[in-house]
Each structure stands twice: as C-alpha cells, then as structure tokens.
Amino acid sequence: MDSLRFLRILLLSSSILLLSLRSTVTAGDIVHQDNLAPKKPGCENDFVLVKVQTWIDGVENEEFVGVGARFGRRIVSKEKNANQTHLVFANPRDSCTPLKNKLSGEVVIVERGNCRFTAKANNAEAAGSSALLIINNQKELYKMVCEPDETDLDIQIPAVMLPQDAGASLQKMLANSSKVSAQLYSPRRPAVDVAEVFLWLMAIGTILCASYWSAWSAREAAIEHDKLLKDAIDEIPNTNDGGSGVVEINTISAIFFVVLASGFLVILYKLMSYWFVELLVVVFCIGGVEGLQTCLVALLSRWFQRAADAYVKVPFLGPISYLTLAVSPFCIVFAVLWAVYRVHSFAWIGQDVLGIALIITVLQIVHVPNLKVGTVLLSCAFLYDIFWVFVSKKLFHESVMIVVARGDKSGEDGIPMLLKIPRMFDPWGGYSIIGFGDILLPGLLIAFALRYDWLANKTLRTGYFIWAMVAYGLGLLITYVALNLMDGHGQPALLYIVPFTLGTMVTLARKRGDLWILWTKGEPERACPHHVRLEPCSEK
C-alpha cells in the first residue's frame, strides 16, 4: 500500500466516528417538545403526520405533509376513508374573527398568527368548514397545542399544520385553477419495515467479511513468521513497523480518536452548509475509491496473480501494481457517478457500496491489539454517543449529532457517511440509516476476536468471535426496538451495542481464564524453536 493512499484512509477513518448514530429519516421535520404540550380533555390527540393530497380540476397533483393538532377530530388513517374536499382560503386569512365565507364542508386554509390555534379552529367550524389547514410562517412543522387556560375545546373538525412552502404552493394553485380539492389522511407506519431487516443483515455481513479478511491476513502473516523462525533466519522483518500496511491502535490514540471526532463534529455543526456537505461528499468519494479499489484488488488477485505481483512506478504515488492500475478507473468513475446522481432515488445503492468497501478496508488496515485498547476505545465511543445525542441538547439547545446526521441548514438530505436503505413498505417513505461508526467501532473488537481465535486454534464454539458477533447483532436489534418505542427519534446505537459486545467479550474471557492474555498481549503465546530466541515468541 503506498503512503499517500494509506494516509488518506487513516484520515478518513478518524472521521467515521462522527456518525455513530442509528436513526430513521422521515418525511417532515417537527419542532416542539412533547413534554411542553400536556394533554387535557378536548386536547389529547397524539401528534401524527398527515398527508394532504391535492387535485387540480380532478387531476392528481402535489402531496404535502403536515402534522395534526392536539385538539380537534382525529384524522382517518386509511386513504379510502378520506374524502376529496374543495379547498378555499379563509376570509379573513388569519381566521381570528368570524369568517365571512359561507362554507358547506370545504377545507379552509388559514395563516398562522394573531390568535390562538383553537380560536381559528372554532371560527372555521362555525363557518361550516370540514377541516382546517394552518400555514406555518416557517419551513418547519410546529405542533399545535392548547394553552392551560383554554376551555372552548369542543372542536369537531381536524386541524393540520402545513409548512410555509406548502402554503405558497396552495396559494398558487388556487390563484391559477378553477377547482382545487384535497384529501387528508394519516397512514400508520409499520412497526418493522423490511428495510431495517436488510440494514441489520448489511451491518452483520460487513463485519463478517472484514473480520474474516483480517483474520486470514493475520494467520498468513503468523504462518510466514513461524516459517522464518524454523529456518533460523537471523533477521526477520518486523510485521509491526507498518510495512504490512497494518496500524495498531494504542490506548492514547483510542482516546485521542474520540476527542478528535468530537472536535470535528462541533466544526460540522457550526459550519454546516451546502458547500461544507459538498466537501464531505468529495472526502467520502476519495475514501470510497480507496476502499473499493482495495477490496476489488484483493478479490481479483486470486485470478490475476501476475498482474497483482507486477509493479510499475508512478510519479508521486510510488510503485503500484498493474491490477491496481486496471481497477482504479472503474472505482473513480463509480464514485463520480454516485456524486453526480446522489440526489436520485437509486443513489443509495452506490453510497452503500462505497461505504461498505470503505469500512471493510479500514477494518483490514486498523487493528485493536488487545482487549484493553478495545475496551478504552469502545468505552470512549459509548460516552461520546450519549453526550452528543442527549447531553448536547443542554448546551446547544438541540442534539448536535442528530442535526449533523440530518444535514440541517445544508439544503442536502443528510451527509454521506451513512449506510441507508429506502423504507419499502412505509407509507411515509424515507430511509432507515446506520452510521459508519456503529459498524466500524464494534467491528474492530469483533475482528480482533476472530484473529485471536484463529491464532489460538479455537473452534467456533470455544472461541470468542461467534459470541461477540451474536452480541453485536442483539445490540443492534435492541437499537431498532428502542427506535420504534421512541417514535422514530434518533437513538445512539452504541448505547446498546457496546454493553452487549464488550460485556460479552470480557465476561467470557474472565470465565475461561483468558482475560489476562486478551487484556495485555492480545494473541496466544507461541513457543520458539530451541535454537532461536526472538522477541515475537516466548517459551511456554
């Protein structure tokens, strides 16, 4: 591996920790804390997203997403039970005084402001409206609640808040068309979407591939090392000097890794904008190209051994194999095409391919040498996740991690350091996503477990890898459960994954009497030939 490529991979791997967040992207951004909106008789609806499908002169047109009010009649959940009803603007527009409109079941559109939400709803109902659409004065959706001193809450029509841009579109429709109608309904989101199952399998499969590649490489290096020992070669290459392209994390670098990621996360939060996301896309493409190239070269070298072993010197890059030169253009074109078409519905496929290749490559390059370093790294990441998802709300008045993950203020649909799959059977659409850190960080420990098992000649049942893998899968599964119980609010996945994975490793090691070896050396002791005394091995 040339030094330039190696440096780029390491730089990008230090930023992967930024998105150790498991969340679901939904249609519509709702602001207003539920605990500031207590329920009371006549004002006890759950907040739900509402679809507002429009028709112009009988032809289906735009669909908008709003949020239902705490008060008023509940909105039907099935589209077939929702009626198409004419849309009209209120007169006066704010509906703070009795309407001059003489309505007969129309859906009335009013502007936010100048009086309470319930006053607008009561005036609209008194004028004969069948539903109320309130246009917000901002782009976000706001949860409409009742004031503590309100008593006139016997409202029998549904009320829905729409964002400002939806109001502008509706006004244009009504100005240019003779007949505009709408249909209001709130379909229920499925408890589990098949996308979450595929994402779970994708995370498991990525760690499996990376762990077996890492363990195979470690075993090949150990076999070669033992062969050199048996031949009594005086000078044996040191496999820990970076020549093999492997970097081992130590305790200090594990702590610094998390501190660096925290600083970079704050920079992202403060500088989040369109151009900054574009810069991240470029960085991601560079890492994705390197990862995809590394994986393809390793795979194809089995069939094109000569091309993999023959090298040519390239200015500024050093010696590069012919196979790498042949694969690189494909990887570059793939990444560029993804960057150009990343806003399209199919772009998630390219993002996942580049992301998985990058994660596998980083897990191949970066190693945890022992359980001590793995414990420090995952414990710091555990605290990092909790702090930036939950505690940061106290300091920044919003969750820094979730704001960065969504790409707020950037005009983009989140930043690219995520694996994502479209929610296939969710009527609200959106994506199920998982941060790279939720795979990479536990993957470092799991790959270490498999390397130890292979070097110690342990079976699948008596080793540590299978149990660490099962623990990771359960931890990620609990994350999905917590996400659904929290009504889709972002959850720090490492809050659940780290206790399962790390706890299982430490408990098993203590029970089997391997804790000291795993904690300090990280690999089984190998006996030296009697005629050779070298540092890497020791006598039993």
Side-chain angles (χ1 to χ4, degrees):
M1 177 180 297
D2 64 271
S3 58
L4 181 60
R5 183 178 123 202
F6 181 59
L7 178 61
R8 287 199 296 244
I9 287 287
L10 288 182
L11 287 175
L12 190 57
S13 69
S14 65
S15 67
I16 288 176
L17 182 58
L18 287 172
L19 286 181
S20 53
L21 170 71
R22 169 67 181 87
S23 179
T24 299
V25 179
T26 58
D29 184 19
I30 305 174
V31 295
H32 199 293
Q33 297 298 322
D34 285 359
N35 56 5
L36 300 179
K39 294 182 179 181
K40 57 191 292 188
C43 190
E44 53 191 356
N45 294 342
D46 293 327
F47 292 117
V48 294
L49 290 174
V50 180
K51 289 193 175 188
V52 180
Q53 178 63 60
T54 60
W55 281 265
I56 296 179
D57 297 328
V59 178
E60 188 172 318
N61 202 270
E62 287 187 74
E63 181 183 83
F64 306 104
V65 175
V67 60
R70 186 72 98 184
F71 54 86
R73 196 182 72 215
R74 288 184 172 87
I75 299 167
V76 298
S77 61
K78 295 183 179 180
E79 183 178 5
K80 65 180 182 180
N81 296 331
N83 298 322
Q84 288 188 35
T85 311
H86 291 167
L87 285 175
V88 296
F89 268 106
N91 183 15
R93 284 291 185 95
D94 60 9
S95 187
C96 289
T97 56
L99 301 189
K100 299 176 183 179
N101 308 59
K102 297 301 179 182
L103 306 176
S104 56
E106 289 89 348
V107 175
V108 67
I109 305 171
V110 306
E111 295 176 351
R112 179 183 176 184
N114 301 328
C115 62
R116 294 175 173 178
F117 294 124
T118 52
K120 297 175 186 290
N122 279 314
N123 287 329
E125 184 179 9
S129 173
S130 62
L132 176 67
L133 297 180
I134 300 179
I135 306 302
N136 197 11
N137 51 17
Q138 300 176 17
K139 292 183 179 180
E140 293 82 10
L141 294 174
Y142 190 87
K143 294 179 178 178
M144 296 183 290
V145 299
C146 308
E147 299 296 335
D149 59 345
E150 289 190 84
T151 56
D152 191 9
L153 299 176
D154 186 22
I155 301 171
Q156 300 301 317
I157 62 172
V160 177
M161 170 76 75
L162 288 177
Q164 188 177 42
D165 53 354
S169 298
L170 288 173
Q171 184 172 3
K172 188 179 297 184
M173 289 180 190
L174 289 169
N176 299 333
S177 307
S178 58
K179 181 180 178 183
V180 180
S181 57
Q183 186 181 35
L184 280 61
Y185 62 103
S186 178
R188 293 192 179 98
R189 170 167 283 138
V192 178
D193 190 87
V194 68
E196 294 176 342
V197 177
F198 283 119
L199 200 62
W200 185 85
L201 292 173
M202 190 184 297
I204 297 290
T206 300
I207 293 181
L208 278 172
C209 292
S211 297
Y212 272 97
W213 186 11
S214 176
W216 179 83
S217 300
R219 185 167 65 177
E220 291 292 310
I223 292 173
E224 182 67 22
H225 187 269
D226 290 344
K227 181 181 177 181
L228 294 174
L229 287 177
K230 290 179 182 179
D231 293 340
I233 295 179
D234 293 330
E235 294 183 3
I236 297 178
N238 185 1
T239 57
N240 294 324
D241 64 357
S244 63
V246 172
V247 171
E248 290 190 346
I249 304 174
N250 57 35
T251 305
I252 296 176
S253 62
I255 298 173
F256 180 72
F257 186 71
V258 178
V259 173
L260 177 66
S262 296
F264 194 33
L265 183 65
V266 174
I267 293 174
L268 276 175
Y269 174 72
K270 293 296 185 180
L271 301 181
M272 181 61 67
S273 60
Y274 174 79
W275 70 266
F276 205 83
V277 172
E278 293 296 308
L279 178 61
L280 290 178
V281 168
V282 173
V283 173
F284 174 72
C285 286
I286 293 173
V289 167
E290 301 296 345
L292 187 59
Q293 173 185 287
T294 302
C295 292
L296 288 178
V297 168
L299 183 63
L300 295 176
S301 61
R302 296 177 176 272
W303 294 279
F304 303 96
Q305 189 66 45
R306 287 187 178 182
D309 293 339
Y311 287 82
V312 60
K313 282 191 176 182
V314 178
F316 305 108
L317 299 178
I320 297 179
S321 70
Y322 285 102
L323 183 58
T324 301
L325 287 177
V327 168
S328 295
F330 167 78
C331 299
I332 293 172
V333 170
F334 187 92
V336 170
L337 287 175
W338 170 80
V340 172
Y341 294 102
R342 71 182 186 278
V343 297
H344 290 71
S345 59
F346 55 82
W348 64 272
I349 300 173
Q351 181 170 326
D352 288 351
V353 170
L354 293 172
I356 290 173
L358 174 59
I359 292 172
I360 291 175
T361 301
V362 172
L363 288 175
Q364 169 67 11
I365 295 172
V366 183
H367 285 186
V368 168
N370 53 48
L371 187 56
K372 176 184 176 182
V373 174
T375 300
V376 171
L377 178 63
L378 287 181
S379 298
C380 290
F382 175 81
L383 297 175
Y384 164 93
D385 233 12
I386 294 175
F387 180 85
W388 289 113
V389 174
F390 295 132
V391 181
S392 62
K393 291 181 181 179
K394 303 294 183 183
L395 301 176
F396 298 90
H397 307 294
E398 57 186 350
S399 173
V400 173
M401 181 78 79
I402 294 177
V403 169
V404 171
R406 289 190 312 222
D408 291 4
K409 306 174 186 176
S410 67
E412 295 272 347
D413 187 18
I415 65 179
M417 283 73 172
L418 301 164
L419 300 184
K420 63 181 186 179
I421 296 180
R423 295 178 63 85
M424 303 173 190
F425 298 104
D426 191 332
W428 294 103
Y431 293 88
S432 290
I433 66 175
I434 184 169
F436 285 177
D438 300 334
I439 303 173
L440 175 66
L441 295 174
L444 289 170
L445 183 66
I446 295 171
F448 160 74
L450 186 59
R451 289 195 300 272
Y452 178 85
D453 289 351
W454 281 21
L455 293 176
N457 295 319
K458 290 183 176 290
T459 64
L460 198 62
R461 186 178 63 84
T462 60
Y464 294 93
F465 169 74
I466 187 64
W467 304 111
M469 196 75 250
V470 170
Y472 173 79
L474 287 175
L476 188 57
L477 182 63
I478 295 299
T479 306
Y480 283 100
V481 174
L483 184 70
N484 289 316
L485 291 177
M486 298 296 179
D487 196 25
H489 292 118
Q491 293 295 300
L494 295 182
L495 173 64
Y496 309 98
I497 293 173
V498 169
F500 272 86
T501 309
L502 186 59
T504 299
M505 281 284 294
V506 172
T507 302
L508 277 178
R510 182 184 291 114
K511 183 178 179 181
R512 295 173 177 177
D514 295 334
L515 184 59
W516 176 250
I517 296 176
L518 285 168
W519 188 264
T520 56
K521 297 183 177 181
E523 63 178 26
E525 294 182 350
R526 300 197 303 273
C528 286
H530 294 296
H531 59 291
V532 178
R533 296 296 302 229
L534 293 171
E535 186 65 24
C537 58
S538 59
E539 291 188 347
K540 294 183 179 180

